[in-house]
Structures are given as C-alpha cells and as structure tokens.
Amino acid sequence: MNYAPPSPTGNAEAFVFDNSYARLPQQFFARVEPTPVAEPWLIKLNKSLAEELGLDVAALEREGALIFSGNRVPIGAEPLAMAYAGHQFGTFVPQLGDGRAILLGEVIDRNGTRRDIQLKGPGQTPFSRRGDGRAALGPVLREYIVSEAMFALGIPTTRALAAVVTGQPVYREQILPGAIVTRVAASHMRVGTFQFFAARGDMASVKILADYAIDRHYPDIKDKDRPYLAFFKAVTARQAELIARWLHVGFIHGVMNTDNMTISGETIDFGPCAFMDAYDPRKVFSSIDQIGRYAYASQPGISQWNLARLAETLVPLFDENADTAVELANDALGEYGATFQRHWLDGMRTKIGLVTSEESDLDLVQSLLSAMHKGEADFTLTFRRLCDSARDPAGDAMFSATFASAEAIQPWLQDWRQRLSRETATPEARSAAMKAVNPAYIPRNHRIEQAIAAATDDADFSLFEALVDVTAKPYEDQPQFAAYQEPPKPEEEVQRTFCGT
Ligand code: AMP
Ligand code: MG
C-alpha cells in the first residue's frame, strides 16, 4: 500500500464555492482552519458525486489527498465549525457544536441545489471540549459505506465525497489509524441548531435561522401566512416520511439525538447505525443505548419527540398569543402520527406487491411481521424472496426457508395470494415492481465489520471497495455478489456497534 503524499502542486480550484452560512451573524459558528495531518492518502473519491457537484474529477484524483485531509484549504473555502446544542439520550446539552467537523463551504450542484462540503475528523475546533477533533478509520469507512448505500436505496441522506487516511494515529480504547470523511449535505442545520439559540433566549437568532432554513430548504412556504408554522409542518412531514423509509429497509440509526436530526430531512451522522438481519422490532445495536431508547420500532416516536423539541424553539414565532401558539404547535405535531403511518403502510403495501388498498392490508402486513419476528426471519431476505414468490409459487420454498418454521408461514402465504387475486398486475410486473423496493443488497453489519478490520489491520481496502460497489445497485440481482445477500453465520453476527468517537 502506497501511503506517500502526493505532490503539493496542481489545481486547487476544483471547487466553486458560494458560501451562505458564513454570511450569517458570528454567533452561528466559529471560524477555524483544519489542522494539517502527517501523511494523507486518498482511500476513495466518489467520482459520480464529484461530477454531480460540478467538480474537476481529474484534479481531485491528483490533489484529493491534500484537499480532503484539510492540508490544503481550497480557494474560496471559508472553514467554520457550526454551533449547536442537543438532547443526547434525553438530556439537554446547551453546547455541542462541530467538535470534529469543519464546514469548508457550499457549492451549487449541477441541479442547482446548494450543498455543504464538510470535513469530518479534521482536528480540534472551539467546540471540541475534551475531544481530539479526529476520527478513526473504522467510523469513517462505516459512514462512507452506509451513507452511500442509503443514497442508492433512494432514501434522503448526506453523501460521502471522499475518504482519506491521515497517516496519524488516533487514541481510543486502542490506537487506530486516523481518517477523514468528506460529507456532502443539503445543509448541516439540525434540531439542535435551533435549540442552541432558544436555550440562550436568543429569539432573534432563532428567527434568522428559521428564515435561512426556509429560504434554503422550503422556499415555497415563504409567502404563506404563518410561515414559521408552515416551516415546522414541512420539517415534520419530511421526518415522518424519512423514518418510514428507514423502517422499510430495516435501518436502525442508533443515536437519534436532536443534534443528529436534520432540518432538511436527510439522514445524518452514521455512528453506531446498522441494518438489522433477523427481524426484531426491539432490535438495538448501539453499545451506548442500554435502555433501547433508539430501538428499531421506537424510531417514529423518538422522531416525534425530537420534533416537539424543535416546536419548543419556534413556538413564540407561531402566534403572538402564547396559548394560541402552543395550540398550533400541538396540532402540527399531532399530524406526525398519521403522516408517518400513511407513508409506512403505503411502503409496506408496495413491499408485498399491492397496488390497490384495502382496509385489511394493515393486518396482512402486521401478521407477516409478527411471523418474521417469531420465525427470526432475515428482514431483507424475506422481502426479496417474496418477490420471486410473487412471480411463481415455486419461489415459496425459498421464501419459507427464511423462517425458523417453514410450516408456520404457509397460512400467511395463502392469505397473501387471496389478497393478490383482487389485484390486476401480472405476476411478472408485480415481481418486478417489488424488486424495485425490496433490496437484495444492504451493507450488512458483519460485512462492514470485515471491511473495517481488513482496512485497519492490514491497510487492505478491497473489502471496503467491494461493499461500496455491491450496495451501489441494491435492487439489481448481481449473481457474482450472491454471497453479499447472505445473513451472517452465527460466528459472524455483530451484536454491538460503537460510535468510535
Ligand atoms: P456525534 O457522536 O457525531 O453525534 O457527536 C456528538 C458531539 O460530540 C458533537 O458535538 C461532536 O462534535 C462531539 N465529538 C464527537 N467526537 C469528537 C471528537 N473526537 N473530538 C471532538 N468532539 C467530538
Ligand atoms: Mg452528531
């Protein structure tokens, strides 16, 4: 493996920055430069994302190690660490902020959308508290793999533009290679960004932030009456849909603190996250989530709890009369449940091949899920194999084999076929439609751990590369990668994931 630093010459102007957050008043951030690292080496450049951002791919292939390590700040960047607060596992922390992340600036992508370019792991900032501002290689690779997989699955998410190793160790429970991931986001505003100012009684800043967020993410509501209420409702709607999408693919975020929840509706901060293998609604991976606050099936409720914290920061903007304002906030928050349920059930219907809707569909979905729970069926494999059953009952044997007892699932298959008989799609069309929403490939936790171990222990990135490649086409059958569909063998099973911070 060649860790030699690339030559420090070449085109530093691969980015055309157009920074807006840096124009906000100074209480919103602290200006800070990345701390240079010893021997940066480019692990991965996301070429298709670079192209989408209008960047010079050839220049970045040459110079990426310098730029994505923070060793050379590109022209036009205005590096800053954002201020935010947050509820962490229910406890309010009035000051968090970017302690190990630096926003380089914003670019306008090929679709005209403003995107943040942020280094994660570039050294200390005024928000680092006692932290080193660095990231270890494992969490960097995990964020790269999982955020790109989420994108390929069609779920709103931040993206990974590049990963570098720094050539410097980081000190955690063990000594680990240091690394930096470059994250691209619609923005990095969080629920916790609003909380930061509200907690200080600084409503003027809350209003500036809300106006900025409306301009950037919800421009259509600018001219509505009660724009701040409309803004809150819009954030609520996006979050409700996002969490439904997570549940459809078995995703468990792991740390749904209010500082890890975006205003844009993108998934952010891939810490101890994981896709579950065997279906269990109480499933938790994160080693720090001892009471299961952020378990799979708790995510909708927690998202609504977080939105209530957002409402608290905005409520004085809803109406001059405090009682009216609170009433409006409660009504808006009350819409979350129905919006979530609609998205969730629509998605579940599609997953089992239904186009029309009937009253009893919820029961049909629930009884499949409870059979999966009881039968310890692999979440991803069950739905993928159901796509084959939809085309031809010959697929039933493979489908049934994902359950501990193949017999136990036969009554459900009968009910399902009965229900399908009232649909008009051909079996082929139904199967194809199902395959477009039921992934064959997700980044399974044991595969991620194997990729991280090979990279960390042997500087071998081939498993990382393969996992990124296979999960880039999650809905396609890729016979050469069939093994990546398999759940872990008992000895490969990962029970706990760690933040690694
Ligand atoms: P996260 O785990 O990414 O949600 O981070 C929670 C808070 O801890 C944020 O304010 C981070 O900036 C901060 N933090 C996490 N790891 C570090 C680190 N290694 N150095 C400094 N701050 C950190
Ligand atoms: Mg965070």
Side-chain angles (χ1 to χ4, degrees):
M1 196 59 46
N2 171 22
Y3 283 99
S7 87
T9 57
N11 175 20
E13 298 184 80
F15 293 87
V16 180
F17 284 104
D18 178 18
N19 306 325
S20 63
Y21 210 81
R23 303 280 85 74
L24 291 175
Q26 47 116 30
Q27 66 272 24
F28 283 77
F29 52 80
R31 294 192 191 273
V32 57
E33 299 273 323
T35 307
V37 301
E39 266 191 287
W41 179 79
L42 184 64
I43 301 167
K44 182 89 178 157
L45 170 67
N46 187 337
K47 289 182 205 163
S48 65
L49 178 57
E51 273 161 16
E52 188 180 315
L53 296 172
L55 303 178
D56 180 341
V57 172
L60 289 177
E61 282 185 310
R62 279 195 317 272
E63 307 298 320
L66 289 178
I67 290 170
F68 299 124
S69 62
N71 278 21
R72 188 170 69 211
V73 175
I75 293 166
E78 293 174 274
L80 60 85
M82 289 169 67
Y84 55 85
H87 274 89
Q88 299 192 305
F89 292 90
T91 304
F92 186 65
V93 183
Q95 179 162 316
L96 291 165
D98 287 333
R100 53 155 170 184
I102 292 179
L103 179 69
L104 289 180
E106 299 146 35
V107 301
I108 309 297
D109 73 14
R110 291 237 158 109
N111 308 312
T113 305
R114 180 176 295 278
R115 313 276 288 270
D116 276 6
I117 311 285
Q118 189 205 58
L119 303 180
K120 196 169 171 185
Q124 287 179 319
T125 78
F127 300 106
S128 294
R129 293 170 289 168
R130 285 176 302 280
D132 60 3
R134 293 295 182 191
L137 179 58
V140 162
L141 296 182
R142 181 182 290 274
E143 171 143 358
Y144 195 110
I145 293 164
V146 182
S147 67
E148 286 303 303
M150 291 292 265
F151 168 73
L153 287 163
I155 297 174
T157 179
T158 65
R159 305 281 311 271
L161 177 60
V164 296
V165 283
T166 60
Q168 289 173 195
V170 294
Y171 301 91
R172 300 292 181 259
E173 289 90 35
Q174 312 156 46
I175 301 178
L176 295 164
I180 298 173
V181 61
T182 301
R183 177 158 73 183
V184 176
S187 85
H188 283 86
M189 277 177 283
R190 305 145 192 270
V191 170
T193 318
F194 285 84
Q195 290 180 293
F196 180 86
F197 298 108
R200 286 159 179 75
D202 181 359
M203 279 313 290
S205 293
V206 170
K207 191 164 178 298
I208 291 170
L209 187 63
D211 287 333
Y212 177 84
I214 290 169
D215 256 347
R216 189 157 170 183
H217 297 302
Y218 303 93
D220 297 348
I221 65 181
K222 213 160 28 184
D223 304 321
K224 290 205 172 161
D225 2 311
R226 298 195 196 279
Y228 303 106
L229 181 65
F231 165 62
F232 176 67
K233 286 183 178 177
V235 176
T236 301
R238 278 198 202 171
Q239 283 296 333
E241 178 168 8
L242 178 68
I243 307 302
R245 304 288 303 275
W246 289 0
L247 265 52
H248 292 147
V249 295
F251 180 73
I252 303 170
H253 181 283
V255 217
M256 290 176 69
N257 295 333
T258 56
D259 52 304
N260 291 337
M261 185 162 164
T262 60
I263 297 303
S264 68
E266 286 183 342
T267 312
I268 198 168
D269 275 1
F270 298 85
C273 58
F275 290 81
M276 65 178 158
D277 297 301
Y279 176 67
D280 174 2
R282 300 301 316 150
K283 185 71 189 169
V284 177
F285 284 98
S286 170
S287 60
I288 52 174
D289 190 2
Q290 277 156 11
I291 57 161
R293 180 180 169 88
Y294 301 138
Y296 172 79
S298 301
Q299 297 181 115
I302 280 293
S303 158
Q304 190 182 25
W305 189 90
N306 290 347
L307 289 162
R309 306 289 79 75
L310 177 63
E312 284 164 3
T313 73
L314 294 168
V315 80
L317 303 177
F318 291 169
D319 198 275
E320 280 166 18
N321 180 295
D323 293 337
T324 311
V326 169
E327 206 171 305
L328 289 168
N330 281 329
D331 289 351
L333 200 58
E335 287 171 26
Y336 178 92
T339 309
F340 166 79
Q341 184 68 12
R342 180 166 47 78
H343 285 297
W344 179 80
L345 187 54
D346 282 353
M348 293 307 291
R349 273 201 183 95
T350 314
K351 281 176 81 71
I352 63 168
L354 304 180
V355 177
T356 62
S357 64
E358 291 185 6
E359 200 71 43
S360 61
D361 292 346
L362 178 59
D363 285 346
L364 188 66
V365 168
Q366 294 289 16
S367 71
L368 173 60
L369 290 173
S370 54
M372 287 166 64
H373 186 200
K374 218 168 173 181
E376 295 175 29
D378 182 83
F379 186 87
T380 307
L381 215 48
T382 300
F383 285 104
R384 187 67 179 184
R385 288 188 177 170
L386 191 63
C387 307
D388 293 327
S389 284
R391 200 184 49 218
D392 184 346
D396 288 5
M398 286 293 280
F399 169 77
S400 305
T402 62
F403 294 78
S405 155
E407 258 147 64
I409 193 63
Q410 299 315 308
W412 185 84
L413 276 171
Q414 275 175 19
D415 292 346
W416 178 59
R417 289 233 155 76
Q418 191 101 68
R419 173 67 182 84
L420 292 182
S421 70
R422 299 191 291 279
E423 295 260 326
T424 54
T426 63
E428 287 71 26
R430 175 179 303 127
S431 176
M434 287 170 72
K435 283 193 169 182
V437 296
N438 291 310
Y441 301 100
I442 43 135
R444 290 187 182 268
N445 221 355
H446 66 295
R447 293 281 179 186
I448 296 176
E449 296 293 342
Q450 288 162 6
I452 289 174
T456 301
D457 301 342
D458 304 321
D460 171 3
F461 292 92
S462 59
L463 294 180
F464 164 73
E465 291 284 349
L467 195 50
V468 169
D469 283 349
V470 68
T471 53
K473 295 177 199 143
Y475 299 111
E476 284 177 30
D477 288 315
Q478 303 177 65
Q480 74 279 27
F481 287 124
Y484 281 80
Q485 288 198 41
E486 297 299 323
K489 300 186 183 79
E491 70 275 14
E492 291 175 325
E493 215 168 302
V494 177
Q495 296 297 351
R496 285 279 166 268
T497 50
F498 299 89
C499 276
T501 53

